[in-house]
Each structure stands twice: as C-alpha cells, then as structure tokens.
Amino acid sequence: MTDYDLTPGTIHRGLGFIARWPGIVLVIPSDPVHDRAAEELLAALGPEPAPTEVAQVVHEALHNGQLRTAGYLAMAAGGPLAMVSGAIEILSDGVQQFSGTAGLVKQQVNATDRLTMRATNLTKATEPVPPYDLRRGIAPGAGITLGSLQTRRDRPVTPPRPDQVRNEPSVREPQPAPDPVAVPFRSLTLFDQTGPVTHRPALPVARPALAADDVPNRSGARDLAPAEAPGSGNQVAMVHGILCSRAHFNNPGAQFCIACGIAMVHVTHNLVPGPRPTLGMIVFDDGSTFGLDRSYLIGREPHTAPNADPAPLTIQDNETLSRRHAEIRLVDWSVHLIDLESTNGSFIWDPDSERWNQLPPHQPVVLDPGATVALGRRTFVFESVTQQ
Amino acid sequence: MQGIADYEFVHLLGEGGHGSFWLARCPARLSLGLDYVAVKTLAHHGSDADFERLSMELQHYSSVTSPRLVQLYEVGLQGDILYYAAEYFPDGSLTQPARPFNRASVLAAVADAALGAHALHEAGISHRAIKPSNVLIDGPMAKLGDLSLAQVLSPGQTLTGLENLGSIEFLAPELIQGESGSRATDIWALGATMHRVLTGRPIYPSVPDDSPLEALRFLLSQPPTLNDSLRPDEHQVVAAALATNPLDRPPTALDFAKMVSDLAHYYAQAEPL
C-alpha cells in the first residue's frame, strides 16, 4: 500500500490554501470572503501541528460556520481517512469517489497510484501542475494530488458505468440523518391533480425589431420587451430612453446601442417611454449572480414575498450580514445602493484611494458599473452592459 | 442522507448546484405500484412559504401533458428540506447513457427534449436548466427532466455559484446578463446540449476559473467555438441555436426539434443500426 504521507504532493492551481504536515493534508478552497478565516485557522495551528489537532480545529471551524468548505486526508493504519465538507471532492486514480457538496462526509479511501482532494469547481486550468510539489508546509492552491502523476499515468482509467456506481456507506457528521419516518413532513401529490390548475399564457415568440424603414412613429420600443417582470406579477417600470436607428430602446446616455451595437451619435435624442431593460447584474464572491431587472432587499433573512418590490435576496452568511442589510434600488436608469443601518456596514471600494468607503445609513449612493461592494464579509461586483 | 419523508434512499444518483438526486424506494403510501423513484432534495433551506411556491410551480409543470416530460409524483417538505419525487430512468441520461448510442439516436433524443421544452413554452414555462444530464433515456424515447427552480426560490438569481461554471455553456448570454428565461434561452441550451453530446466538448474551450467575475466577463465577450467534428448540416443547426442575438435563433423549440429530427431521420436511413 502506498504511504501517502511520503509521496509527492502535486498542487492544483486555484484560490485557496493547501497545508501538508506529517500525517495530514488539509485543503481549504477559498472564496475570497473566507480567506481571513482560513488564514487565521492556519496561523493558529502553528508550524507542525498534530493530525488530531488539525482535524479537531477544522471540524470546529466548519461547525461554527467560520469555514464553509474544507477537506483533509489523515493518514491512518487502514489507509487514508478523508473528510470533505462543501464544494470539495476526493478522487482515487482520477475517479471521483465522493464530495462534500451535500454535507460533511468522512470515510476511508484508497487508490492504486494517486489520491486527489480538490475544489469541485476546477476546470482545465487547474489540473495538477507538476513543478509544484508540496511536502511540508502551506501553499496556495485549490487542491492536491498525492502520489505519482507519472508512472502509470497513461493507463486509461475507466469510470464505473452509472448502474455500477454504489456509494459506500459514509459516516456523516456532526449527526447522522434523523430516522426518516420520525420527523413529520408535509407533501402534495402531483400525478392525480384534482384541484384547479392555473392557466398561464404561452411564452412570447421573439420577433425581430422593426427595420429602420418600417418604423412609422419611432415608438415601437414598447412592443420589444415583455411587459411583465419574470416570475412576478409586477409591471415593469417605464423609463424614458432613446431609440437607435433600428428602433432598439437605449439609455439616453448610451453611445452604442445595447442590442445591435450601432453608434448612437447620429440619432436624434428624442426621449420616448419604454419598459426598462435589465440594468446589469451583481456577481457575488461565490459566483452567485442576480439580474438587475428588479430591486432587491439583501440580507440574511430579508423576509419579503418573492414577487414583492424589492425582491428578497437571501445571502446565507454567518452573522456578518444583518437580517436586512442593504437595498439595491433601480431608479430610472441608475442602480442605487442603500445601507439599512446594518451592524457591520456596507462599503464601496474606491480604487483611487484603495480604501473601502462606508455608506451612511439610509442614504442612496449611485453604483457605477464595475463597482465593488462589501456587505459584512461578503462582496459583490456590479456589472452592466446598459451603462458604459 | 438515508432518506426523506418515507422515502428510503438506495444511493446517490447525482449532485448539482441546486441539490442532490437519489434513487429511492417508492413508498406504498403513494399506490404507484413502482419499485423505485428518483428523489431530488434541494440545497435551499426551505420554509412553509417556499413549499407553497414550489408546489404551485410544480403543479403547473405537472399540468403540462407531454410524453417528453418527466412525470413528477410528489413535492414535500421535511424540516427545512424541500424535495420532490419523479420518474426514475435506469438507462440514465445523455451524459452517461447506460447503453451505446449512435448518432441518429443521440439526435432523436435531443429532438425529444426540444419537444418537451416546446410543450413547457406553450404553457408559459421556461425550463432554464436544459443540459445533457437532464435529457433522460426512456426506452426508444427521451424525456426532459428537472426544470430549474432557482427563480421560484430565489427570484432574479441567474447563477447559483461557482459549482455552476461547469454547466455555464448551457446558459444563453442574455440569461447570464440577467434577462429572464425565454423560448430563446432554452433553444440556446438545446443547441449547446446537441453540441456537447455530439462532440463531447464544451462550446467555450477555456473558461477562466479563478474568479466567477472573470468567467462571466469572458463568456460575455466570446462567441462560442464549435468543434470541427460536427458534420456540416449539424454545424448549421447548432450555430443557429447558438446565435448571440436571440432573434437569430430558431423562433420556437418546435422549429429546432424539426431541424434536429430531420438530421436524425437522415442518419437513421443512411446508417442503419
């Protein structure tokens, strides 16, 4: 049996930390927000902690929410013991064994050539990079492969057919799932519907915008977008904008048409009413993305109805976000951020002074495209195509 | 997990950004006469209000009668875990079909999925999650399953997180930019699905994965790259569905289904099994 404590440890590039000490390997893929927690945890462990101490500290950090994603491989007599929680997976000889996506999993693993523990969001760029061989200490990266990449690398690895895949019984912590029947549940059958079923109109079939010659009164923009916000009963706000020469509706300040890219310099800047298009999107540090076709109330528990205005935007965060932290409010063509007297504050990054500027509570601030915003320890970026 | 409600889990079928799929024993309570069902448990922490909304959405989905849509049996809430039970397909999905598929049957499956999508569109639903793993093999036919519930549980959300970067090619650019799901966004996803199952390659060969923002910026600045192994007539169909401007795509999923099934028939005649 390979002693994975002695083999090369090839790093997978990516954001996060890898730590390797005698008897244990730790991977903490970072989302930028939790960097500090990972750094603090690694600093607290000191230069060469005992495997049991590492395991204990990691379990505590996962339990109290300090970390969301972490995994370790601890060397044990019967083979390495793997623990994964969050978006992190274990591979034996390149074949996925299990991941922590659905909750913490802890079980023994083995492999012929190599064991991999890595963030599950890896793609091409973060295959193992041979020159980086971590034997002891801490390095940046989002995964590690223990064992040889070279010797039997060419041998094809056949993944098991789906009907052959069986999950090994796994130990789940902190508590095994409750007895399924003991916990009450409510349910509704869907195959023998007797109640009234709501009727919805068919989705509209997209039609090309009117050609320039066919535009009789230059107000055709009203027909070009759906009149209702998706998934909500709300009317879309009407705003004033200008039409490009092909009758696409644009921000009055636009230099190029957002729909066809044509230059707007020659159009007459007559303002016409039209439904407001999506003003861009906000992209959170973990990749979750929300379209700015509506206003949002952001917080841990915003508690508004989903089709309310503003719509709830729930961010699951461990106490650095207030229940109702901030509001994103669409006003005509601009996007406003309003801090709702949050405990830890709302901040906008100022690239010139390289500082976070805190928003005074309840005072709307206009977000410029590209703005980076911090709410508690979470961050997002406002991206926009309609406002350059 | 060992089970949910009175469903006993046999093993995990797959995991996605929104939850996990389990093979489960069908409870006798439902009187369905089935041994197994597929149960999806959602990652979203559910409340009673979420259950009401989910039920309404899935009831509406279930009212659409099409042989090309996966049948749902039940929706439920236990603790804060939302789940629903659906038909189980032992033959797997287009990602990993349990039996070999020739080009004609792959195309026929994509056409079936498009017909399922069209039935949803006519009932006012956009699927928003069409990809090879959601095209399920049912004997000689395929069915479209597992529509995205992100809009129901978290309105306005277009991407749930980094885990989704692997399937980002199935999201139309306008969907990434925050527009709502439409016929055209599902047609894009059908085109990307067809490309993926025929070539085995993604339409964006190298998405930066260091940060979600960089990945999104890259996708929005790049047209897809179609793989050379597509045959010319396939290339034409895929390229039409993957047009950057939604207005340049086939107007309905039914139009797309016809284009694909014409190809499938042609191959079926040219290359008999």
Side-chain angles (χ1 to χ4, degrees):
Chain A
M1 194 196 306
T2 317
D3 184 349
Y4 287 102
D5 209 16
L6 302 173
T7 59
T10 312
I11 288 174
H12 299 244
R13 281 198 307 117
L15 292 176
F17 297 94
I18 309 163
R20 193 174 184 195
W21 296 297
I24 195 159
V25 183
L26 176 64
V27 172
I28 309 177
S30 71
D31 39 275
V33 176
H34 290 79
D35 269 357
R36 224 179 318 165
E39 274 170 22
E40 283 163 12
L41 182 141
L42 291 167
L45 281 169
E48 202 152 284
T52 48
E53 188 192 345
V54 177
Q56 191 188 341
V57 167
V58 170
H59 280 288
E60 273 170 21
L62 288 169
H63 185 69
N64 66 24
Q66 199 186 352
L67 289 180
R68 279 191 301 185
T69 302
Y72 63 71
L73 279 165
M75 306 312 153
L81 181 68
M83 186 289 299
V84 285
S85 176
I88 187 164
E89 62 184 358
I90 297 286
L91 293 83
S92 290
D93 302 319
V95 179
Q96 199 214 11
Q97 303 297 302
F98 50 88
S99 85
T101 330
L104 191 147
V105 178
K106 188 175 177 183
Q107 69 182 60
Q108 214 136 43
V109 287
N110 222 324
T112 319
D113 287 333
R114 60 188 197 277
L115 270 175
T116 301
M117 173 166 58
R118 62 175 193 186
T120 55
N121 54 359
L122 295 187
T123 51
K124 193 179 166 193
T126 43
E127 284 302 298
V129 189
Y132 300 118
D133 177 6
L134 180 67
R135 302 294 176 124
R136 289 290 175 264
I138 302 172
I144 186 167
T145 293
L146 302 178
S148 172
L149 290 180
Q150 304 299 329
T151 49
R152 281 177 273 183
R153 199 183 174 181
D154 297 335
R155 193 181 56 198
V157 178
T158 328
R161 292 211 335 257
D163 55 338
Q164 293 171 332
V165 176
R166 290 288 182 275
N167 266 45
E168 295 301 319
S170 59
V171 186
R172 290 177 51 85
E173 291 185 4
Q175 289 298 315
D179 181 0
V181 198
V183 182
F185 62 92
R186 57 188 294 203
S187 65
L188 178 79
T189 55
L190 295 166
F191 54 91
D192 53 354
Q193 291 187 5
T194 46
V197 169
T198 51
H199 178 76
R200 292 185 211 175
L203 296 178
V205 176
R207 273 169 321 198
L210 300 171
D213 306 343
D214 303 339
V215 184
N217 57 10
R218 301 213 145 223
S219 60
R222 244 164 298 201
D223 303 330
L224 300 181
E228 287 198 351
S232 84
N234 299 344
Q235 284 299 113
V236 154
M238 298 296 281
V239 289
H240 283 84
I242 54 173
L243 300 175
C244 83
S245 56
R246 294 176 185 141
H248 298 123
F249 191 58
N250 277 273
N251 184 339
Q255 298 184 5
F256 300 95
C257 172
I258 49 162
C260 64
I262 198 166
M264 304 288 279
V265 283
H266 298 302
V267 306
T268 52
H269 281 54
N270 292 336
L271 292 178
V272 294
R276 177 169 56 210
T278 295
L279 294 184
M281 55 190 181
I282 54 176
V283 183
F284 277 86
D285 39 47
D286 64 353
S288 57
T289 302
F290 294 81
L292 295 179
D293 56 347
R294 66 193 84 198
S295 301
Y296 290 104
L297 184 58
I298 307 174
R300 241 178 334 119
E301 294 168 17
H303 281 320
T304 56
N307 52 6
D309 182 31
L313 196 166
T314 308
I315 295 293
Q316 275 155 12
D317 178 80
N318 303 292
E319 311 291 323
T320 73
L321 230 66
S322 296
R323 286 195 163 77
R324 293 170 162 220
H325 196 107
E327 184 182 340
I328 293 267
R329 190 182 295 164
L330 308 188
V331 180
D332 289 334
W333 290 91
S334 56
V335 177
H336 292 193
L337 177 69
I338 303 151
D339 179 73
L340 302 175
E341 249 176 287
S342 62
T343 309
N344 289 312
S346 306
F347 302 81
I348 299 179
W349 179 251
D350 177 6
D352 294 330
S353 63
E354 300 201 338
R355 289 162 64 107
W356 290 105
N357 291 333
Q358 184 164 5
L359 269 65
H362 300 298
Q363 289 187 29
V365 173
V366 175
L367 287 184
D368 294 322
T372 304
V373 170
L375 308 176
R377 285 214 308 224
R378 302 300 307 267
T379 59
F380 70 78
V381 176
F382 165 46
E383 284 280 285
S384 175
V385 289
T386 52
Q387 326 184 9
Q388 267 92 31
Chain B
M1 291 175 90
Q2 290 150 12
I4 186 104
D6 49 357
Y7 296 83
E8 184 193 331
F9 290 167
V10 181
H11 63 83
L12 189 66
L13 292 167
E15 289 179 77
H18 305 288
S20 310
F21 258 112
W22 302 86
L23 175 64
R25 284 184 214 291
C26 184
R29 170 177 61 86
L30 292 176
S31 315
L32 285 169
L34 294 170
D35 292 335
Y36 296 107
V37 290
V39 172
K40 179 156 191 177
T41 54
L42 300 181
H44 180 95
H45 294 289
S47 63
D48 281 333
D50 288 328
F51 172 76
E52 305 289 351
R53 284 202 298 281
L54 191 65
S55 303
M56 214 191 285
E57 189 65 23
L58 293 181
Q59 271 185 310
H60 185 65
Y61 168 91
S62 299
S63 73
V64 184
T65 47
S66 163
R68 270 106 181 167
L69 291 173
V70 168
Q71 166 78 52
L72 301 184
Y73 299 126
E74 186 178 64
V75 52
L77 172 72
Q78 186 179 36
D80 65 351
I81 302 176
L82 291 161
Y83 72 89
Y84 62 85
E87 257 179 295
Y88 167 61
F89 298 92
D91 285 348
S93 71
L94 269 188
T95 313
Q96 275 182 312
R99 58 188 168 83
F101 257 53
N102 65 12
R103 227 170 170 84
S105 9
V106 165
L107 288 171
V110 172
D112 281 343
L115 290 174
H118 185 70
L120 290 178
H121 296 165
E122 291 297 302
I125 304 173
S126 66
H127 186 285
R128 301 174 53 98
I130 300 173
K131 52 186 171 183
S133 60
N134 284 339
V135 181
L136 297 144
I137 311 300
D138 186 20
M141 253 181 31
K143 293 186 178 185
L144 186 60
D146 198 27
L147 79 164
S148 170
L149 299 166
Q151 285 293 314
V152 182
L153 299 172
S154 186
Q157 184 158 29
T158 54
L159 269 178
T160 49
L162 276 174
E163 303 93 61
N164 288 46
L165 283 185
S167 54
I168 203 164
E169 61 171 317
F170 306 107
L171 290 185
E174 71 269 21
L175 204 52
I176 297 174
Q177 283 172 29
E179 310 238 329
S180 49
S182 64
R183 289 181 193 259
T185 61
D186 280 350
I187 291 165
W188 169 289
L190 287 163
T193 297
M194 176 168 161
H195 180 273
R196 175 47 87 92
V197 295
L198 286 179
T199 69
R201 316 296 304 173
I203 55 175
Y204 299 111
S206 55
V207 178
D209 62 345
D210 296 357
S211 94
L213 190 62
E214 289 311 312
L216 291 177
R217 284 179 177 161
F218 174 86
L219 291 176
L220 294 176
S221 63
Q222 294 281 321
T225 311
L226 303 195
N227 193 273
D228 293 339
S229 67
L230 284 181
R231 300 178 188 180
D233 41 4
E234 295 165 350
H235 189 282
Q236 208 180 348
V237 175
V238 172
L242 296 180
T244 306
N245 186 342
L247 297 172
D248 294 337
R249 295 175 206 153
T252 68
L254 182 62
D255 296 311
F256 177 81
K258 281 180 185 156
M259 292 159 81
V260 179
S261 89
D262 282 350
L263 288 178
H265 286 310
Y266 173 75
Y267 290 148
Q269 283 158 11
E271 309 165 20
L273 295 167

